Amino acid sequence: MEITKICCIGAGYVGGPTMAVIAQKCPHIQVTVVDLNEQRIKDWNDPNTDNIPIYEPGLSEIVAEARGRNLFFSTEVEKAIDEAQVIFISVNTPTKTYGKGKGMAADLKYIELCARQIAKVAKQNKIVVEKSTLPVRTAEAIKSILDNTGNGVQFQILSNPEFLAEGTAVTDLLNPDRILIGGDSSPEGESAIDALVNVYANWVNRDKILTTNVWSSELSKLTANAFLAQRISSINAMSELCEKTGANVNEVAKAIGMDSRIGPKFLKASVGFGGSCFQKDILNLVYIAKSYGLNEVADYWEQVIIMNDHQKRRFSNKIVQTLYNTVADKKITFLGWAFKKDTNDTRESAAIYVADDLINEQAKISVYDPKVSRNKMLSDLDYLETRSEVENAEALTIFDNAYEACKESHAIAILTEWDEFTTYDWQKIYEFMHKPAFVFDGRNILNAKELESIGFIYNGIGS
């Protein structure tokens, strides 16, 4: 089968960039991204591609090239489903906040809604591709819904998990380590796998396209994120020990990273990992292990999350303790709100939780982030339901200029590793702060000696 029309349900951080790259690299394939959120689709169709809703370096240029040629963004979900040969499901799979598995299991209600809508609309055979991160054996549930509520249409379910790091998503899509496609071992399943392989083969070497059974593909995504998050929590655990013993966590990380068996990646100590994937996927893994009675396995992986939460609390506690055990009515400036640089995604960002802790201590938080909007910051805090929306709005002041955000501040906390923070005139910032002036570098990106020579009291992670 030669694919000429693709539909993607979900115009978020995975669906939007992935489909943009497929459209750019496969001009012979019509790619339609659909979403029920009218404002999001309107933003994707903004005449100025600098205003698209997701910030990723290089993404706006790719959208500008392909949009209107063979890349389309629409709210006409059923029309796109009807016309497409391949349907990617790329909707949100948050951690459940209710019922059995609350706080751990993935909430699959959006996935099920997609499956039921596909079943209702489809008149010809379809390939349905899981792009969202899903628990093992979700494909089985999707196939059951499609086969039992459809119109006699034959469906093939493939698992094609994304391995994108936000901030480098475009690079990851253009030059992936691997493409993973899981499907059924039947002739029909193998035909569907081949069809999707041929799409990616337009720009990815075939030796980088790995095919497996569905279950291996689904579990590989959870496992990869669990291993990466484990490395971060491991070095963060050592950062606290370094602070107590006089060691330097950057030196420790460099020393062990030079071991070819370990390698240097994901050994950067910080205030903690964020993002939509790591915590959600590990909790999902914990839930799956517990559901099979594998309590020791569950406890092992859950400790990665516990360590990450501890690192965030430790950072906020250190600010309070260093500022003479009170931050009441003191202005604390956050540089950065996104969970990492080069993205406007704030899901599970450490900044949210550190801000929440400090507001509980009656601090006044000022924030500057080059890509995150005021409304997004406030909605992040409101989501925690720690206090009223009015109280959050009073405690959080958002600036569009970093120097203004730092003026009259008692302390500055670096929460995101944006490159621009290292280029600031820190002498100028120091002059307009209350003294003593404190810097808490949650990403270890600033030059400690330079700041101390200016007069700052510098606090990094793990030293």
Side-chain angles (χ1 to χ4, degrees):
M1 177 198 289
E2 183 180 353
I3 305 302
T4 57
K5 289 189 176 181
I6 287 174
C7 158
C8 176
I9 304 174
Y13 282 90
V14 174
T18 303
M19 293 303 117
V21 169
I22 289 177
Q24 184 206 36
K25 294 296 184 181
C26 307
H28 59 288
I29 299 177
Q30 178 182 306
V31 180
T32 304
V33 185
V34 293
D35 202 295
L36 294 176
N37 186 325
E38 292 183 9
Q39 184 59 51
R40 176 173 287 180
I41 294 298
K42 184 179 178 182
D43 291 342
W44 276 110
N45 285 320
D46 193 299
N48 182 355
T49 54
D50 288 339
N51 296 330
I52 58 176
I54 290 170
Y55 174 74
E56 283 286 337
L59 180 59
S60 63
E61 292 83 356
I62 289 175
V63 171
E65 176 187 337
R67 195 178 63 188
R69 181 190 70 188
N70 66 319
L71 175 63
F72 304 94
F73 296 91
S74 171
T75 55
E76 295 183 89
V77 178
E78 293 192 355
K79 180 175 183 289
I81 290 172
D82 181 46
E83 294 179 352
Q85 299 151 292
V86 177
I87 302 165
F88 284 82
I89 297 179
S90 197
V91 297
N92 195 18
T93 52
T95 303
K96 283 185 75 172
T97 57
Y98 57 90
K100 186 179 179 183
K102 176 181 178 180
M104 285 189 184
D107 191 339
L108 300 180
K109 63 183 178 184
Y110 303 113
I111 297 291
E112 182 173 339
L113 287 170
C114 282
R116 292 190 183 281
Q117 190 165 26
I118 293 167
K120 183 180 77 171
V121 172
K123 300 181 186 69
Q124 295 92 28
N125 294 349
K126 306 283 185 186
I127 298 172
V128 178
V129 182
E130 300 175 338
K131 200 67 184 171
S132 305
T133 302
L134 298 168
V136 181
R137 305 196 80 86
T138 300
E140 201 168 50
I142 294 174
K143 186 163 180 58
S144 175
I145 292 168
L146 292 172
D147 288 345
N148 288 292
T149 61
N151 306 317
V153 173
Q154 295 298 307
F155 296 97
Q156 285 300 320
I157 317 300
L158 302 181
S159 170
N160 177 218
E162 52 83 18
F163 295 99
L164 307 180
E166 289 180 48
T168 60
V170 171
T171 303
D172 295 340
L173 286 162
L174 294 175
N175 301 291
D177 289 338
R178 77 293 202 197
I179 298 291
L180 183 58
I181 301 172
D184 195 10
S185 60
S186 66
E188 297 82 5
E190 289 179 356
S191 175
I193 290 172
D194 288 342
L196 189 55
V197 166
N198 289 334
V199 172
Y200 284 110
N202 281 281
W203 78 98
V204 180
N205 289 333
R206 286 181 179 266
D207 59 4
K208 286 190 171 184
I209 303 176
L210 177 66
T211 60
T212 68
N213 70 43
V214 173
W215 323 128
S216 294
S217 176
E218 290 178 331
L219 187 57
S220 293
K221 168 64 176 181
L222 294 183
T223 306
N225 279 349
F227 271 54
L228 295 175
Q230 179 195 47
R231 285 172 68 92
I232 297 171
S233 280
S234 294
I235 198 65
N236 281 342
M238 299 314 297
S239 74
E240 187 169 13
L241 187 59
C242 285
E243 290 170 24
K244 296 294 185 184
T245 60
N248 184 308
V249 76
N250 293 327
E251 294 172 348
V252 172
K254 185 175 181 180
I256 66 170
M258 291 176 74
D259 187 325
S260 60
R261 298 165 301 173
I262 298 172
K265 293 184 177 180
F266 286 80
L267 288 180
K268 182 73 173 174
S270 72
V271 67
F273 61 74
S276 65
C277 291
F278 283 178
Q279 176 157 317
K280 178 185 73 173
D281 289 356
I282 293 173
L283 289 172
N284 195 355
L285 195 58
V286 170
Y287 180 71
I288 292 168
K290 285 186 175 180
S291 71
Y292 285 104
L294 306 175
N295 293 322
E296 291 81 5
V297 174
D299 291 345
Y300 176 82
W301 287 110
E302 190 169 18
Q303 191 60 44
V304 175
I305 300 297
I306 292 170
M307 185 63 232
N308 192 55
D309 290 339
H310 169 69
Q311 189 77 345
K312 288 181 280 192
R313 285 194 307 272
R314 195 169 76 82
F315 188 74
S316 53
N317 288 341
K318 189 171 187 179
I319 293 175
V320 175
Q321 290 165 6
T322 307
L323 268 63
Y324 315 111
N325 286 319
T326 178
V327 291
D329 295 320
K330 291 178 180 175
K331 179 180 177 181
I332 313 294
T333 297
F334 281 21
L335 293 181
W337 191 269
F339 87 90
K340 64 184 288 190
K341 72 174 184 176
D342 293 334
T343 180
N344 59 350
D345 193 356
T346 65
R347 288 174 290 181
E348 293 299 327
S349 173
I352 303 167
Y353 299 95
V354 175
D356 192 54
D357 286 347
L358 295 179
I359 293 170
N360 282 341
E361 296 288 336
Q362 299 183 9
K364 301 296 183 185
I365 308 296
S366 296
V367 189
Y368 166 75
D369 187 288
K371 292 296 178 182
V372 181
S373 69
R374 179 180 189 275
N375 288 342
K376 186 70 184 91
M377 293 181 197
L378 288 173
S379 68
D380 287 337
L381 270 182
D382 293 340
Y383 181 78
L384 298 181
E385 298 183 342
T386 309
R387 61 193 70 79
S388 71
E389 293 181 12
V390 172
E391 288 172 314
N392 281 331
E394 287 176 350
L396 200 70
T397 307
I398 293 92
F399 290 82
D400 56 12
N401 179 286
Y403 292 96
E404 289 298 318
C406 294
K407 196 173 288 184
E408 300 297 321
S409 180
H410 293 81
I412 295 170
I414 308 291
L415 273 301
T416 311
E417 71 279 21
W418 288 103
D419 292 339
E420 69 178 68
F421 298 162
T422 65
T423 67
Y424 288 169
D425 184 342
W426 285 94
Q427 178 69 53
K428 178 180 176 182
I429 290 172
Y430 177 78
E431 289 170 0
F432 290 102
M433 286 180 64
H434 288 287
K435 307 300 184 298
F438 297 90
V439 169
F440 296 89
D441 189 354
R443 299 291 175 179
N444 284 349
I445 60 170
L446 302 179
N447 186 318
K449 290 183 178 178
E450 180 185 318
L451 264 64
E452 287 170 349
S453 70
I454 290 171
F456 284 103
I457 298 175
Y458 176 89
N459 290 270
I461 299 284
S463 60

